[in-house]
Amino acid sequence: MQTPIFFLSLALSALVNADSDQVSPQVKIEAEYRQYVSDFVARDFEAIASHFSPPIQRTSFEGSFVLQTKDEIVSMYQTMMANIQAGYSYSEIDSIDVQAMSPSTYAADVDFTRYNANNQVIFAGRSIYLFGKHSGDWKMFSMIQAERE
């Protein structure tokens, strides 16, 4: 009786894999970004770094710099979390708009909000992330802080 179940599982697996090849880059990038936010909230610095393809450029209102390695990305996020808004508990994505810049580069324009443990807003921000395909996966290579409209 296990043989029909095995073949049914195998057929469903093949169907899911076939469908994943037809998923648009926008959908894949949005899923990648949402996982990045989950890893950010969990403060899983190694997982956060896995969403990037170094070297990456980070541009904020204070200036711009390049991080050459995964270890530098981890260190940046450790520092960021040590200095994040007082009482930070979690973040939510308010909107995400993914647009093709070229066949190999996409931009995700994201509005997000940070909350404390009492579900009160402590920060509302906007960032633009550039994604490129790296070893078959969409990864971030640039983060740009932007004014929230």
Side-chain angles (χ1 to χ4, degrees), residues 69-123:
T69 67
K70 180 180 174 182
D71 289 340
E72 289 178 348
I73 295 168
V74 167
S75 179
M76 179 196 69
Y77 275 95
Q78 289 170 333
T79 300
M80 180 188 298
M81 280 298 189
N83 297 295
I84 202 163
Q85 292 82 12
Y88 172 78
S89 180
Y90 66 97
S91 300
E92 289 192 356
I93 300 167
D94 301 317
S95 68
I96 181 168
D97 180 34
V98 180
Q99 297 292 323
M101 308 303 287
S102 75
S104 61
T105 304
Y106 283 72
D109 188 345
V110 180
D111 285 345
F112 61 93
T113 302
R114 294 180 182 157
Y115 296 87
N116 64 19
N118 295 322
N119 301 317
Q120 297 168 319
V121 173
I122 58 172
F123 180 79

Side-chain angles (χ1 to χ4, degrees), residues 30-72:
E30 183 171 340
E32 179 76 16
Y33 183 78
R34 288 185 183 281
Q35 185 58 53
Y36 157 78
V37 171
S38 293
D39 294 335
F40 183 90
V41 171
R43 300 170 191 224
D44 185 340
F45 302 114
E46 292 293 325
I48 291 169
S50 75
H51 299 286
F52 293 91
S53 178
I56 69 163
Q57 181 174 359
R58 179 159 189 255
T59 303
S60 69
F61 299 135
E62 292 79 39
S64 184
F65 57 91
V66 174
L67 301 168
Q68 297 291 339
T69 67
K70 180 180 174 182
D71 289 340
E72 289 178 348

